[in-house]
Amino acid sequence: MRSDKITKGLERVPARALLYATGLNREDLGKPFIGIASSFTDLIPGHVHMRSLERAIEKGIHAGGGVSFIFGVPGICDGIAMGHSGMRYSLASRDLIADIIECVVSAHCLDGLVMLTNCDKITPGMLMGAARLDIPGIVLTAGPMVSGRSGKQKLSLVKDTFEAVGRKRKGEISDEELSCLEMEACPGPGSCQGLYTANTMACVTEAIGMSLPRCAASLAISSEKERLAYKSGQQVVELVRKGITARKIMTKEAFENAIMVDMALGGSTNSCLHIPAIANEAGVKVDLHLCDSISARTPHITSMQPGGEYLLEDLYYAGGIPAVMKRLCGDLHDCATVSGLSTQQIAKAAEIHDEDVIRAKEKAYHKEGGIAVLYGTLSPDGAVIKQSAVSSAMMQFRGIAKVFDSEETAMAAIMGSQIKKGTVVVIRYEGPRGGPGMREMLSPTAALVGMGLGESVALVTDGRFSGGTQGPCIGHVSPEAMVGGPLALVEDGDEILIDIPQRRLDIHVTKEALAKRKACWIPPKPKITQGLLSRYAKCVTSADKGAVLIAE
């Protein structure tokens, strides 16, 4: 075992003495050492209940014959960080989490790992760390939040808080109604209720095979989640004994399965950042072309918020990810999973309890999957949109550019009622390098929808969007403006053409005119010149490559 490096031999007397100081017995030194990487924090509702899950995982590890060691990783709540400078740290924290897992697991020679996680960048960060180390590991996502209630009406975070800001500005709701929504929308522990990034990545993780069946959708408040925690602890010890490491699960075929499930669900566009980044650590090539090609042949069979009707609790009661896999069974690769069951075994054993929440392919909500990748003169290396959350009337759009060099200036214009119908709001210098950190733009997109402009205004950015975004909002524009991509050359009044069915994003300006603008373009000074974000900006790659870090 890996842990033999610190438990065996004459030279390891000091290490053993320190291990005994933690409370271990002599017989414990012959057992698998299992790390529990926990993102528990009092700051995030998706994580406040993790203490009980940590205990359940510990019990499972001990029952399986291992020894458990808890260590922490940082967590950022994107909802709390949204709309201000704090959001710059969210994507950067993904790679920081992978580094922390590498450091702790490698320094202490742990044999296996249970990754207790829930929110947006934490789940992919943990998977990146496990893939990099290639050790046995299981992910336990801590579960979605139940819906809020106002009378008989179900409430959720994005629709009833972020979009409510625009509705209040428009005068549709009172101060009292707004106060009620912000108090009742999030009733307790769990990741935000819709198919936003946290729940998207939980579903992707289960579809890859790195979580036990039904883990992704099982509710934060459920006893089933406690049982899954216990079983995850038990099973990781078995993986160690059998030598089943992360890269044996996270194969090219497993990533293709995960993308297919993601497209069938209509998940967050952030998956197009995270799946390639995880695959990169696993030594597998996944790019935007693969995501788009799988989406083009995968029907969208669920109608999940923000663009649809249902919440994660509805998906859970309908059968969860195994039921979605059952619908796709004929197209999925038969891959190994951490449960010991194969993908096809899980899919065939699943039950579908609601034919509308998880539809048959021939009755799909849309013929294509949730995400489309657009190329063109404005996005030579690609841009990403959640097409399942765009109305049929806005699938093709021609508008006049209104350009902003930051999210804050764009948000001020939106809230000041300066954005008119027929506008394409361009927000640039918010990419991985320019942001730095590629901030999510949920505040402006939700405000536009709340103010009734979701059917007449588009938004294009080199930043990214929350999984809660709906409407014609195009992100991840690559190359980004900070490195001189075409987005840096857009001027107020330029005509921009969006054609989602044809996968096009173009600026109606001649090549000659763009060349003249490029010759005069001067890169802006970096917004951050010290600390983590300064280092991040120097090492991060483009969004179309997953915004992974490279050494310069």
Side-chain angles (χ1 to χ4, degrees):
M1 296 188 295
R2 290 165 56 98
S3 57
D4 289 347
K5 294 178 183 178
I6 60 172
T7 61
K8 292 186 177 180
L10 176 62
E11 299 87 349
R12 297 297 173 258
V13 167
R16 290 194 293 271
L18 291 167
L19 288 169
Y20 292 142
T22 70
L24 295 190
N25 298 308
R26 290 187 185 277
E27 58 267 27
D28 290 331
L29 299 193
K31 299 175 182 178
F33 280 15
I34 309 296
I36 302 173
S38 173
S39 55
F40 166 79
T41 172
D42 289 326
L43 284 166
I44 309 176
H47 300 239
V48 295
H49 62 303
M50 285 184 174
R51 285 299 187 222
S52 64
L53 295 177
E54 290 171 356
R55 299 286 86 81
I57 294 168
E58 284 183 319
K59 291 177 183 178
I61 291 170
H62 297 161
V67 182
S68 63
F69 301 90
I70 295 177
F71 65 93
V73 302
I76 290 176
C77 178
D78 282 24
I80 296 173
M82 195 76 65
H84 57 88
S85 59
M87 178 50 73
R88 291 193 174 106
Y89 289 90
S90 178
L91 184 59
S93 73
R94 180 191 73 180
D95 299 82
L96 180 63
I97 288 165
D99 291 345
I100 289 170
I101 286 177
E102 177 190 353
C103 288
V104 174
V105 172
S106 297
H108 297 92
C109 302
L110 300 180
D111 298 302
L113 192 62
V114 178
M115 294 155 275
L116 177 57
T117 172
N118 219 18
C119 285
D120 301 37
K121 313 306 167 295
I122 304 167
T123 301
M126 288 193 178
L127 284 168
M128 289 167 67
R132 184 185 302 173
L133 294 168
D134 192 27
I135 67 168
I138 289 181
V139 173
L140 180 77
T141 47
M145 184 187 297
V146 296
S147 59
R149 284 289 195 278
S150 178
K152 293 183 178 180
Q153 179 186 355
K154 283 185 178 182
L155 303 179
S156 65
L157 173 71
V158 172
K159 188 168 291 294
D160 298 298
T161 62
F162 280 96
E163 291 177 15
V165 172
R167 292 172 60 206
K168 177 62 175 65
R169 176 65 69 185
K170 195 178 177 184
E172 290 185 353
I173 57 176
S174 66
D175 288 338
E176 292 75 16
E177 289 174 301
L178 187 64
S179 178
C180 176
L181 290 174
E182 70 177 54
M183 181 61 72
E184 303 298 337
C186 299
S191 52
C192 303
Q193 303 102 325
L195 194 61
Y196 316 137
T197 306
N199 289 325
T200 295
M201 291 312 300
C203 295
V204 163
T205 301
E206 185 177 331
I208 289 175
M210 286 296 292
S211 290
L212 296 181
R214 290 181 61 84
C215 180
S218 59
L219 301 174
I221 60 171
S222 66
S223 57
E224 181 177 12
K225 185 64 72 178
E226 296 280 339
R227 290 189 289 273
L228 285 165
Y230 181 89
K231 291 177 182 176
S232 294
Q234 273 189 313
Q235 185 62 14
V236 75
V237 179
E238 187 70 11
L239 296 178
V240 170
R241 289 186 171 132
K242 292 182 176 179
I244 300 174
T245 61
R247 292 192 184 189
K248 292 179 181 178
I249 303 297
M250 290 192 275
T251 63
K252 179 67 176 292
E253 292 76 17
F255 282 109
E256 290 180 356
N257 283 350
I259 294 168
M260 189 179 301
V261 169
D262 183 27
M263 298 306 164
L265 289 167
S268 167
T269 52
N270 280 316
S271 67
C272 290
L273 278 175
H274 300 322
I275 294 175
I278 299 163
N280 178 67
E281 296 286 1
V284 174
K285 183 180 179 182
V286 171
D287 57 22
L288 291 182
H289 291 284
L290 179 63
C291 296
D292 190 56
S293 65
I294 292 176
S295 183
R297 64 176 187 264
T298 303
H300 176 221
I301 60 174
T302 69
S303 179
M304 307 294 293
Q305 284 195 25
E309 177 182 356
Y310 297 111
L311 301 173
L312 257 289
E313 62 191 56
D314 301 307
L315 182 66
Y316 169 68
Y317 290 116
I321 295 305
V324 176
M325 292 166 60
K326 191 178 190 73
R327 293 295 198 201
L328 304 173
C329 190
D331 301 314
L332 292 172
H333 300 292
D334 196 18
C335 300
T337 76
V338 293
S339 69
L341 300 172
S342 73
T343 303
Q344 290 290 335
Q345 287 174 320
I346 293 169
K348 290 175 181 177
E351 296 182 2
I352 299 168
H353 302 296
D354 192 315
E355 297 285 331
D356 194 54
V357 174
I358 306 172
R359 288 188 175 183
K361 290 193 289 185
E362 56 271 18
K363 296 182 179 180
Y365 288 96
H366 301 98
K367 292 181 179 179
E368 293 187 354
I371 291 173
V373 180
L374 312 184
Y375 296 91
T377 54
L378 197 54
S379 57
D381 294 336
V384 178
I385 185 169
K386 184 190 280 193
Q387 63 174 345
S388 59
V390 179
S391 70
S392 57
M394 293 296 288
M395 294 293 282
Q396 295 171 310
F397 184 74
R398 184 186 298 259
I400 302 302
K402 180 65 175 174
V403 182
F404 302 93
D405 287 347
S406 71
E407 178 188 359
E408 286 84 357
T409 54
M411 188 63 178
I414 293 168
M415 297 304 289
S417 301
Q418 298 175 27
I419 305 302
K420 308 302 179 185
K421 293 181 179 180
T423 299
V424 176
V425 176
V426 175
I427 305 177
R428 63 190 178 193
Y429 301 115
E430 291 286 6
R433 291 201 175 203
M438 202 181 181
R439 288 192 288 176
E440 288 186 347
M441 304 290 171
L442 180 56
S443 292
T445 60
L448 287 170
V449 171
M451 296 174 76
L453 295 172
E455 294 293 302
S456 57
V457 170
L459 194 152
V460 175
T461 182
D462 52 7
R464 59 194 176 88
F465 296 118
S466 161
T469 294
Q470 60 176 307
C473 300
I474 300 168
H476 307 202
V477 173
S478 301
E480 64 174 290
M482 193 66 178
V483 299
L487 203 66
L489 311 178
V490 181
E491 297 179 356
D492 285 348
D494 288 344
E495 188 176 55
I496 293 177
L497 293 77
I498 300 167
D499 191 333
I500 298 172
Q502 295 300 316
R503 303 296 202 260
R504 295 295 302 180
L505 176 62
D506 293 298
I507 180 172
H508 197 208
V509 175
T510 65
K511 291 182 179 179
E512 292 76 16
L514 287 176
K516 288 181 180 179
R517 294 181 189 180
K518 184 65 178 287
C520 299
W521 177 73
I522 300 174
K525 293 181 179 179
K527 298 172 187 174
I528 307 292
T529 57
Q530 61 183 7
L532 170 66
L533 292 177
S534 177
R535 298 195 302 273
Y536 181 84
K538 293 174 184 176
C539 298
V540 69
T541 61
S542 178
D544 66 293
K545 296 178 174 60
V548 298
L549 301 184
I550 57 172
E552 286 202 343

